[in-house]
Amino acid sequence: MTISPELISKVVRETVQEVVARQASGLTAQGGAAAPSATGDGIFTDMNDAVEAADKAWRQYLDCSMRDRKCYIQTIRNVCSDDEALTYMAEAAVEETGMGNAHDKYLKNRYAALETPGVEDIITEAWSGDDGLTTIEFSPFGVIGAITPTTNPSETIINNSIGMLAAGNAVVFSPHPRATRLTHWLIRRINKALGEVGAPANLITTVEKPSIDNTNAMMAHPKVRMLVATGGPGIVKSVLSSGKKAIGAGAGNPPAVVDATADIPQAAKDIVDGASFDNNLPCTAEKEVIAVDSITDLLKFEMLKHGAVEIKDPAVIARLASFVAKDGHAVAKWVGKPACVLAAEAGLEVPESTRLLIAEVPFEHTFVQTELMMPILGIVRVKNVDEAIDKAVEAEHGNRHTAIMHSLDVKALTKMGKKIQTTIYVKNGPSYNGIGIGGEGYPTFTIAGPTGEGLTSARNFARRRRCVLKGSLSVR
Ligand code: NAD
């Protein structure tokens, strides 16, 4: 049997790519450190240079095969999912942003690295028949400008990088200034690994000093063809006003409704697990509970078994409310802080192990109405499930983001789903089941409610292009 030169070169190429991809994860066959990359690290002083470099990278990327693309995606997964990297990212995020807890950040980064859909997400559609063959293929936009939040700094970069590169794009990141160090570390790490497997240099770029001016320069740059904003209402409005194709993944205020038919011990555990996850930072985390009167006492009692502490003293509730929010917005200094730190500031001593502070409050209270992103959960007692659903819809403020309901009544579950119209609706589980952590479905850290893409993945970062061949290639 003769082996063709093409096959030999294919096998050699794939073997080299595999070996280098393993090295990129920080390990060589001998267990030593990988060699440094000969390519740039993707970090530029000037935003225009960051965009130009990404544009050049994208044009080179067009010449890479789908096999190359898969290799690059695997390389990103490898360098972002080893234990050392995950531990570093989790701890560095808490240290630099002052938000969240390392244990849960480790998990979020791991899901982002390993489970974010890759090239398999961009499926070709085809029609074939007497008139020939027509395909719809997902093609890149080119350079995407991605704005990332403080609350999920590395998770969003990993998740966006995999999805955007899988769709054939290059990406310029505009991170929150309070997550600069971690962002630089991660972008350097990914670029170095990509360089080592032969990817074009600067497929992922950013600037030395992230700032609003730099973000604006990125948004205005003609070579940035698509904008993806993950953050609060201000930045979502900015990208939607840019005149460019934009995906807006904005704020939420997820309510959790509990009715009388629910498995209350399970609901209590799920709510504490979800609302305390990463100190309540995720935009998807339970931010308030609307419970029917007949089960509210039992629900609170069960929540205490899972690390919640109930604040009953109206003076302590008032003190806590006085510093965590101002003018209807969370005060950044307290966002993502541990429950015991928040309690101490309000003059209440609670065990360090406290996962969540709960307080029964009126519906109008800031613990219900404000997206606090802190382990503080307002609980509102209502007469019946219909009132609970109406109040949940109101508390969600039309964000169409996330809602949770605990009930065994399918009619009530259906009514809630129809009325609340959220992008994510979790039934009988903790909120993080909705982003693929412990629930079916893939994870994402860019949930586009305002612009309707939902849980974004590679196909949302691509253009649908039709290719028509007249008269032939249908073999049916
Ligand atoms: P943020 O809006 O303060 O910042 C987000 C990003 O936008 C940062 O990079 C910031 O530097 C930039 N930015 C903000 N205002 C800007 C402006 N006027 N001009 C230019 N750039 C601007 O949000 P955050 O505090 O970092 O993150 C928390 C918010 O993000 C919450 O509201 C949360 O619900 C939301 N969020 C949404 C999702 C989602 O997928 N829908 C995911 C994570 C966070």
Side-chain angles (χ1 to χ4, degrees):
M1 187 179 92
T2 40
I3 301 172
S4 73
E6 285 81 8
L7 183 60
I8 293 172
S9 73
K10 179 173 174 282
V11 170
V12 169
R13 187 157 158 256
E14 286 177 2
T15 309
V16 169
Q17 283 179 342
E18 195 187 311
V19 169
V20 182
R22 289 189 51 208
Q23 284 183 326
S25 69
L27 297 172
T28 63
Q30 290 74 37
S37 163
T39 58
D41 62 6
I43 298 164
F44 294 81
T45 312
D46 185 71
M47 179 54 90
N48 290 326
D49 293 341
V51 175
E52 291 294 341
D55 187 64
K56 187 174 164 208
W58 168 61
R59 288 174 196 287
Q60 292 168 351
Y61 197 25
L62 279 174
D63 291 330
C64 296
S65 66
M66 293 304 286
R67 191 174 291 109
D68 291 334
R69 243 192 243 186
K70 284 183 190 162
C71 167
Y72 305 157
I73 298 304
Q74 187 57 45
T75 300
I76 299 176
R77 294 194 199 287
N78 292 348
V79 288
C80 296
S81 65
D82 68 76
D83 181 60
E84 211 181 314
L86 289 170
T87 304
Y88 174 78
M89 287 188 283
E91 289 173 358
V94 175
E95 195 201 315
E96 188 176 6
T97 66
M99 298 174 177
N101 70 66
H103 174 274
D104 297 340
K105 286 190 183 294
Y106 184 105
L107 195 67
K108 290 200 294 179
N109 282 302
R110 192 165 186 277
Y111 269 91
L114 297 179
E115 306 293 339
T116 297
V119 172
E120 73 282 2
D121 194 54
I122 47 170
I123 303 160
T124 300
E125 293 168 23
W127 295 268
S128 65
D130 297 341
D131 283 330
L133 175 68
T134 295
T135 55
I136 300 273
E137 290 181 301
F138 285 110
S139 284
F141 272 86
V143 178
I144 298 180
I147 299 137
T148 54
T150 32
T151 47
N152 301 324
S154 49
E155 302 86 321
T156 311
I157 288 179
I158 295 169
N159 175 249
N160 283 182
S161 295
I162 291 175
M164 291 171 186
L165 264 62
N169 306 283
V171 50
V172 181
F173 279 109
S174 206
H176 197 287
R178 272 211 282 159
T180 307
R181 255 184 295 133
L182 173 57
T183 302
H184 284 175
W185 178 89
L186 182 55
I187 289 179
R188 278 201 181 98
R189 183 175 176 88
I190 295 175
N191 274 321
K192 175 173 176 284
L194 289 177
E196 285 164 357
V197 290
N202 298 313
L203 276 174
I204 299 171
T205 67
T206 190
V207 284
E208 260 169 35
K209 290 202 174 85
S211 64
I212 287 187
D213 284 348
N214 271 327
T215 304
N216 290 338
M218 188 259 292
M219 291 196 290
H221 199 294
K223 287 187 178 164
V224 173
R225 304 298 294 261
M226 179 193 215
L227 294 168
V228 179
T230 310
I235 190 61
V236 168
K237 191 166 173 221
S238 290
V239 297
L240 295 186
S241 321
S242 67
K244 295 186 180 184
K245 164 72 184 179
I247 291 182
N253 193 38
V257 165
V258 188
D259 79 4
T261 69
D263 174 345
I264 302 299
Q266 187 63 44
K269 179 181 185 306
D270 289 344
I271 292 170
V272 175
D273 286 349
S276 64
F277 190 57
D278 204 11
N279 294 349
N280 198 258
L281 281 183
C283 50
T284 46
E286 293 83 348
K287 299 281 186 290
E288 63 278 341
V289 168
I290 320 282
V292 301
D293 180 32
S294 58
I295 51 85
T296 305
D297 290 332
L298 178 60
L299 181 72
K300 289 194 295 179
F301 174 75
E302 291 290 335
M303 287 172 88
L304 305 185
K305 293 182 185 169
H306 300 286
V309 166
E310 183 178 8
I311 307 180
K312 290 187 174 159
D313 183 345
V316 178
I317 294 175
R319 272 204 300 278
L320 191 57
S322 71
F323 66 84
V324 293
K326 195 162 187 275
D327 303 328
H329 297 287
V331 172
K333 183 180 168 192
W334 300 107
V335 169
K337 289 287 186 261
C340 63
V341 171
L342 296 163
E345 185 67 16
L348 181 73
E349 209 178 304
V350 299
E352 215 177 297
S353 58
T354 303
R355 297 170 73 201
L356 186 68
L357 304 173
I358 60 173
E360 207 176 316
V361 290
F363 180 67
E364 298 71 27
H365 197 273
T366 194
F367 292 173
V368 175
Q369 300 297 332
T370 308
E371 188 200 23
L372 289 177
M373 296 176 283
M374 299 168 203
I376 299 173
L377 198 65
I379 299 179
V380 179
R381 192 186 285 259
V382 295
K383 283 193 303 290
N384 55 44
V385 69
D386 293 329
E387 188 187 352
I389 292 172
D390 288 344
K391 287 270 187 281
V393 171
E394 217 181 305
E396 213 272 326
H397 302 313
N399 291 319
R400 295 185 162 191
H401 197 298
T402 298
I404 302 98
M405 183 159 176
H406 295 271
S407 170
L408 297 178
D409 176 349
V410 287
K411 286 204 171 131
L413 288 167
T414 309
K415 181 177 177 184
M416 168 87 167
K418 283 201 175 193
K419 282 201 143 188
I420 200 141
Q421 287 290 319
T422 48
T423 305
I424 297 177
Y425 176 30
V426 177
K427 296 169 283 289
N428 299 325
S431 53
Y432 50 72
N433 287 173
I435 50 167
I437 301 181
E440 290 297 329
Y442 61 89
T444 190
F445 288 89
T446 297
I447 300 143
T451 46
E453 290 80 5
L455 287 92
T456 57
S457 61
R459 67 183 65 185
N460 302 117
F461 308 126
R463 298 150 55 228
R464 289 166 61 85
R465 293 174 60 207
R466 180 184 278 212
C467 267
V468 179
L469 179 87
K470 172 68 184 167
S472 299
L473 283 185
S474 171
V475 294
R476 290 200 286 182

